[in-house]
DNA sequence: ATAGAGCCGACTCGTATTGC
DNA sequence: GCAATACGAGTCGGCTCTAT
């Protein structure tokens, strides 16, 4: 999202706030966007973060990443009641285009939730631009991030490795180029740019766009702690999410299990006595990344995926663990932008 | 509440064109 | 000849609307 679109979204949200409350917010632009919500009544200034489509994962991301100088105000097209509740509980302010808002700037206090979303034109709805962060695009981005050799491969090789069609690979790469995430440095030599933002976009889009499509089913094990001594390797499977994070950091006691496998679930079910259960705490997923993707160990999913799964859970301890994984693994492996 | 029709977006596939 | 790119046709799945 570029600066102009950010400001447009903020201006529209401010109009909604003005209409609903009679406050006269004042936008200030420096290195980032700032908002004085009621300059005539309080000098309190918020640092604005625009997130057109707010999801549980993006709230997790924001909660994990922000160490702001000023209190934070999230501006989105729509903040649903559950997210509103969650943001308020963390004392993070929000504004949306439906007129929902939480602003805690004494003596000014606003809390509105439950307004329905307005059917407005999204600022992030350009089909070509989104291609990189839909299911096919997410596979391509993941392959490029985890197997950098592919940056210098042909379109066909990239498409094969990512498990998408040639046309989808082409559209995804074009979208990445358009958004400044992919730089052509010569004939078939490419470089990823702005890794941090790219990982953020991937992390936010993964639980919505790709994860539901790789889900094979939910299961339940005969007893707790079964995963501690289970050997997945013979079944072409790896640990994701909380179990992988526990093994990488020793910081978590897993409650939910996610397993990524290249085979059908039958053999895993037979080996570990798993039963199908729509409310089970075990999720089986089809592996979507190429074998050459870098992993931390033979039985662990790539760190980028583990990070995204933790962030998507919304659990505070998971988010903290995700931050550790990012800082002590992902960030160090990135090329400088 | 549910089933069926219709619509739409995302994706794949095939093919034509262009450039090296 | 091969790779990159563009584009149209077709498929699939999800969503909404409507009739029952």
């Amino acid at each position: 999202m570029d600066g102009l679109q950010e400001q447009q979204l903020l201006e529209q949200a401010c109009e909604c706030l003005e209409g609903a409350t009679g406050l006269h917010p004042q936008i200030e632009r420096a290195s980032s966007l700032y908002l004085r919500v009621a300059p005539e009544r309080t000098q309190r200034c918020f640092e604005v973060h625009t997130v057109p489509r707010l999801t549980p994962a993006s709230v997790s991301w924001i909660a994990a990443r922000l160490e702001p100088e000023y209190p934070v105000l999230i501006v989105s097209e729509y903040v649903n009641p559950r997210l509103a509740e969650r943001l308020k509980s963390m004392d993070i302010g929000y504004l949306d285009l439906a007129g929902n808002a939480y602003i805690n700037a004494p003596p000014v206090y606003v809390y509105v939730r439950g307004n329905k979303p307005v059917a407005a034109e999204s600022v992030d709805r350009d089909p070509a631009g989104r291609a990189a962060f839909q299911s096919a695009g997410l596979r391509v981005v993941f392959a490029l991030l985890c197997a950098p050799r592919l940056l210098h491969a042909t379109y066909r090789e990239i498409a094969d490795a990512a498990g998408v069609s040639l046309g989808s690979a082409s559209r995804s790469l074009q979208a990445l180029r358009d958004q400044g995430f992919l730089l052509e440095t010569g004939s078939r030599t490419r470089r990823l740019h702005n890794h941090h933002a790219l990982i953020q976009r991937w992390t936010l889009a993964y639980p919505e766009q790709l994860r539901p499509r790789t889900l094979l089913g939910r299961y339940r094990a005969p007893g707790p702690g079964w995963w501690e001594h289970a050997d997945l390797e013979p079944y072409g499977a790896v640990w994701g999410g909380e179990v992988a994070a526990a093994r990488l950091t020793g910081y978590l006691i897993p409650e939910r299990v996610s397993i990524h496998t290249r085979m059908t679930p039958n053999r895993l079910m037979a080996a570990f006595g798993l039963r199908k259960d729509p409310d089970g705490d075990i999720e089986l997923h089809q592996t979507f990344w190429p074998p050459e993707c870098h992993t931390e160990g033979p039985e662990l999913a790539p760190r980028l995926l583990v990070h995204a799964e933790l962030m998507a859970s919304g659990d505070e301890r998971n988010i903290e663990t995700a931050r550790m994984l990012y800082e002590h693994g992902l960030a160090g492996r990135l090329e400088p932008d």
Side-chain angles (χ1 to χ4, degrees), chain A residues 1 10-11 19 28 45 89 101 124 130 162 187 189 195 252 257 275 305 313:
Chain A
M1 192 176 194
L10 176 58
E11 283 169 6
E28 293 180 13
C45 185
S89 72
D124 190 24
R130 277 180 303 155
S187 164
T189 53
H195 282 86
L252 272 183
V257 175
R275 284 178 296 110
L305 177 61
S313 73

Side-chain angles (χ1 to χ4, degrees), chain A residues 2-159:
Chain A
D2 64 33
L4 188 65
Q5 289 174 330
E6 283 187 340
Q7 189 146 350
Q8 271 177 3
L9 180 59
L10 176 58
E11 283 169 6
Q12 286 178 36
C14 284
E15 281 174 27
C16 294
L17 180 69
E18 248 182 294
T21 63
L23 296 173
H24 302 291
Q26 182 184 328
I27 298 170
E28 293 180 13
R29 198 173 231 305
S31 53
S32 342
L33 279 173
Y34 296 91
L35 190 73
R36 290 188 193 284
V37 287
E40 69 281 7
R41 294 169 64 186
T42 171
Q43 282 307 299
R44 193 145 200 217
C45 185
F46 287 85
E47 186 176 320
V48 172
H49 290 258
T50 54
V51 186
R53 295 186 185 191
L54 197 67
T55 62
S58 47
V59 171
S60 300
W61 184 276
I62 287 160
R65 295 277 174 268
L66 294 182
E67 288 169 14
E69 197 176 334
Y70 295 96
V72 168
L73 188 71
I74 290 173
V75 178
S76 179
E77 289 180 19
Y78 174 58
V79 180
N80 69 37
R82 282 183 67 177
L83 293 177
E85 192 72 38
R86 200 167 147 211
L87 287 170
K88 178 172 171 286
S89 72
M90 295 186 287
D91 201 33
I92 296 175
Y94 63 78
L95 277 184
D96 75 6
L97 301 187
N100 298 303
Y102 172 66
I103 294 166
N104 184 11
V108 176
Y109 184 82
V110 179
Y111 181 40
V112 183
R113 60 191 272 267
N115 280 339
K116 300 279 184 256
V118 287
E121 268 306 296
S122 167
V123 289
D124 190 24
R125 217 153 276 173
D126 165 35
R130 277 180 303 155
F133 300 101
Q134 286 158 356
S135 75
L138 289 170
R139 289 168 188 260
V140 171
V141 172
F142 192 84
L144 295 177
L145 280 167
C146 294
R149 173 193 78 80
L150 292 171
L151 284 165
H152 312 300
T154 65
Y155 274 32
R156 281 165 180 76
E157 283 178 90
I158 295 171

Side-chain angles (χ1 to χ4, degrees), chain A residues 207-230:
Chain A
E208 296 213 329
Q209 302 293 332
L210 183 53
R211 191 171 175 78
R213 292 173 191 239
T214 60
L215 182 66
L216 296 167
R218 283 178 205 281
Y219 299 83
R220 189 170 291 284
W226 67 280
W227 54 270
E228 285 176 59
H229 305 292

